[in-house]
Amino acid sequence: MHARPTHKTEIAPACLPGVDLIGVSSERVFPRHSHGQFGIGLMRSGGHRSWSAGGTVEATPGNVLAVSPDELHDGSPLGAFRAWDMIYIEPLVVQRMLGREVAAREFHFAARSWRQLASSLRRAFAALAATDAQAAEEYLTLALGQALRERPSGGDRKPSLLSRRVITRIHDLPASPPTLDEVAALMGMGRTGSLRRFQREVGATPNAYAMQYRLRLARRALSDGEEPGAVAAALGFADQSHLTRCFSRQYGLPPGRYRAARANIVQDSSGYAAL
């Protein structure tokens, strides 16, 4: 019998509205997913490999990780174990900090040893952990400006109008994902052709994209204090157990514990639901 992969997630209390500080130490493999926020962080130890819109990247201690809203990516350890810290920021907060609208795909989940950026991030982490809101906002604004200025170029995956029709349909009715026949009709293609094109352009099948979008909505609802059972029903999951299995796989902890973690409760692998 294989031991469950070691995993620990810590969510620090937010001292800035719309900003989350999350620390992860894990042996887990995370499936392809996306976030609704900008994410930027640092590898602490070990190694991490991720598929993303910018291609496959590998990160080691000191490397900067950055991900845009809606950018699909996955994650697996290089070796047995790795640890990293991430700051997730709502797009409207990024716009306010930088004084301009920021395109959703202005930087990718990349591994770079940006010395100045890493220094600003370490100061931002320290200020957030100390709940020093003014210092946190200053260093985070500096880090975001550096990241957007120094972002890697190339490799951007932009869905075509046909794929965007399916994405819009998923966003409009997240609790009822489209069937493959509906996807084909929306794209004006055969079932096989539409499936291949969507996956090539978006990075996931329509069903997989719909699932990660529903889970992102679930995460937001749980952050707002909604009960897991109500969230499961509202978003079309078969039951609360179905939500728990899917949510645990994508985010590393079950819905109820994620909801509790908003109060800065640390959870470890002993409390995780079986996948």
Side-chain angles (χ1 to χ4, degrees):
M1 183 175 179
H2 296 291
R4 185 178 298 173
T6 300
H7 181 94
K8 184 166 69 176
T9 298
E10 181 177 3
I11 303 177
C15 63
L16 287 177
V19 178
D20 290 324
L21 173 58
I22 298 178
V24 182
S25 303
S26 183
E27 296 176 327
R28 281 193 172 191
V29 174
F30 292 91
R32 203 164 287 184
H33 65 283
S34 68
H35 305 274
Q37 309 106 319
F38 285 93
I40 188 165
L42 284 170
M43 287 295 298
R44 277 191 274 125
S45 63
H48 181 82
R49 177 185 289 116
S50 177
W51 176 95
S52 74
T56 299
V57 296
E58 295 183 354
T60 54
N63 284 158
V64 173
L65 301 174
V67 62
S68 292
D70 303 326
E71 182 181 356
L72 284 171
H73 58 280
D74 57 21
S76 59
L78 287 173
F81 194 82
R82 81 280 202 206
W84 67 98
D85 294 312
M86 291 293 292
I87 300 171
Y88 291 102
I89 315 115
E90 293 294 335
L92 288 177
V93 176
V94 173
Q95 290 181 25
R96 180 178 61 79
M97 286 181 171
L98 299 182
R100 64 182 179 87
E101 185 172 353
V102 180
R105 305 182 76 83
E106 283 208 50
F107 62 107
H108 296 294
F109 195 99
R112 294 290 185 275
S113 297
W114 293 329
R115 220 173 261 182
Q116 284 187 325
L117 175 55
S119 177
S120 297
L121 278 175
R122 289 189 182 94
R123 288 177 168 84
F125 286 134
L128 286 167
T131 64
D132 185 341
Q134 185 172 347
E137 183 168 11
E138 288 178 353
Y139 285 121
L140 192 50
T141 299
L142 183 61
L144 287 169
Q146 291 168 339
L148 294 172
R149 186 179 68 246
E150 303 179 74
R151 66 187 182 273
S153 59
D156 195 6
R157 177 182 286 105
K158 294 183 178 179
S160 66
L161 175 61
L162 298 181
S163 291
R164 289 202 301 273
R165 288 177 183 169
V166 178
I167 291 172
T168 298
R169 160 64 178 81
I170 290 169
H171 289 190
D172 287 345
L173 296 170
S176 302
T179 64
L180 187 50
D181 285 335
E182 188 177 352
V183 169
L186 286 167
M187 297 183 71
M189 303 172 64
R191 286 161 54 96
T192 302
S194 61
L195 184 60
R196 286 177 178 170
R197 180 161 182 174
F198 188 92
Q199 185 170 29
R200 182 177 69 249
E201 294 180 349
V202 178
T205 65
N207 185 65
Y209 180 88
M211 174 57 75
Q212 64 82 24
Y213 183 68
R214 290 158 71 197
L215 288 170
R216 214 170 70 208
L217 294 179
R219 183 173 178 264
R220 186 180 303 164
L222 292 164
S223 294
D224 291 339
E226 295 187 32
E227 294 289 343
V231 173
L235 292 175
F237 289 90
D239 51 30
Q240 186 173 333
S241 295
H242 183 207
L243 171 64
T244 295
R245 291 194 300 275
C246 297
F247 193 94
S248 298
R249 177 177 294 178
Q250 179 154 319
Y251 293 116
L253 69 170
R257 294 181 185 270
Y258 175 82
R259 186 171 177 266
R262 305 303 300 179
N264 198 32
I265 297 176
V266 179
Q267 302 296 338
D268 62 25
S269 59
S270 62
Y272 280 79
L275 300 180

